[in-house]
Amino acid sequence: MIGKLEMVVLDAADITGLSAFYQALAGWSEVSVEDDWITLGTPDGWQVAFQLAPDHRAPQWPGQSQPQQAHLDLRVPDLEAGSTRAVSLGATLQQRNEGWHTLADPAGHPFDLCLSADVTGVALMGVMLDCPDANRLARFYSAVLGKPLTYEADGVAMIGEDGAQPILFQQVAGYSAPRWPDPAHPQQVHLDIEVDDLDTGEAAVLALGAVRQPGEGRFFRVFTDPAGKPFCLTVQPS
């Protein structure tokens, strides 16, 4: 284990509106609010943040001409009721399936509502990362986060136990990677991973196949994973 998952971050031009959407839909609460960043917490310990990207280009789902790069899986006890409520709050219904509905939030990020009789409201099951090789990316993040590989099948994988902030991976034909920081090929979503020391964490993720990217501050550094997706190593302010 190199670090722990701190938060999942979605880019948006209107972070206040996107934050309000997820607060209303899922009952998440504000942890911190800044001019360019809003962090929400879920009842079961996830943190989901919204990062200001004034030139944000919304995904065009499905397809890889302007890909989603990642999406959230949310559990609901009733698909029709959940979808109807999401649409009333500003989401757009994309596709219906028997066990899940795909919608886009007000910033255009796709998310899935998944049928589950075990929940009473809306629960965040996990974050799904698109990639060209699900097995390879799963093993990379398993090593980074210390989460075990708990599911693997043809083109899909999961690390972490259900209920313990799992990360999922789906193999996408013709996968188109972000070209960070090019706004024409946006990251859309990224992970913040907290480490004890940035230098030590950097050496460890580079050894696993990450690539250092421009962009850093006193408490963070930017990298891309083997699928070309940006992620940040962070440390807590001292």
Side-chain angles (χ1 to χ4, degrees):
M1 174 180 172
I2 296 169
K4 66 178 182 179
L5 180 64
E6 182 182 14
M7 63 184 67
V8 182
V9 186
L10 282 67
D11 288 356
D14 178 8
I15 59 173
T16 300
L18 194 58
S19 172
F21 169 80
Y22 282 104
Q23 289 182 66
L25 177 67
W28 301 344
S29 56
E30 288 183 350
V31 174
S32 65
V33 178
E34 302 173 36
D35 290 342
D36 60 354
W37 192 283
I38 298 174
T39 303
L40 302 182
T42 76
D44 54 354
W46 288 87
Q47 288 197 108
V48 179
F50 311 102
Q51 176 175 254
L52 181 63
D55 51 4
H56 178 247
R57 296 180 62 181
Q60 300 297 314
W61 184 90
Q64 291 295 297
S65 61
Q66 205 161 307
Q68 64 175 357
Q69 299 296 349
H71 71 271
L72 301 179
D73 283 335
L74 305 173
R75 287 177 168 149
V76 293
D78 185 310
L79 280 179
E80 290 299 332
S83 293
T84 298
R85 174 160 174 73
V87 169
S88 75
L89 293 170
T92 304
L93 183 63
Q94 304 289 308
Q95 188 176 76
R96 283 185 170 89
N97 296 283
E98 183 176 354
W100 74 93
H101 290 176
T102 300
L103 300 97
D105 67 25
H109 296 293
F111 65 95
D112 284 346
L113 294 183
C114 306
L115 183 62
S116 175
D118 298 331
V119 299
T120 56
V122 177
L124 177 55
M125 180 267 179
V127 57
M128 176 84 79
L129 305 184
D130 292 356
C131 56
D133 186 332
N135 178 273
R136 182 186 182 196
L137 199 61
R139 293 184 185 280
F140 171 82
Y141 280 107
S142 176
V144 171
L145 297 171
K147 292 179 179 287
L149 183 66
T150 50
Y151 180 79
E152 189 173 17
D154 187 21
V156 293
M158 182 173 90
I159 62 170
E161 302 291 343
D162 189 12
Q165 299 184 3
I167 301 175
L168 301 94
F169 307 86
Q170 64 177 1
Q171 205 156 295
V172 174
Y175 171 76
S176 178
R179 300 178 193 173
W180 192 91
D182 183 356
H185 302 274
Q187 62 179 352
Q188 301 294 356
V189 179
H190 78 272
L191 304 180
D192 275 1
I193 297 168
E194 184 181 331
V195 296
D196 293 330
D197 178 80
L198 286 174
D199 289 336
T200 302
E202 175 172 337
V205 297
L206 293 180
L208 291 172
V211 177
R212 179 72 185 272
Q213 298 294 334
E216 65 178 283
R218 183 180 175 189
F219 303 115
F220 74 94
R221 293 177 189 171
V222 181
F223 302 83
T224 47
D225 65 25
K229 295 185 184 299
F231 68 93
C232 290
L233 294 185
T234 69
V235 291
Q236 290 297 316
S238 55

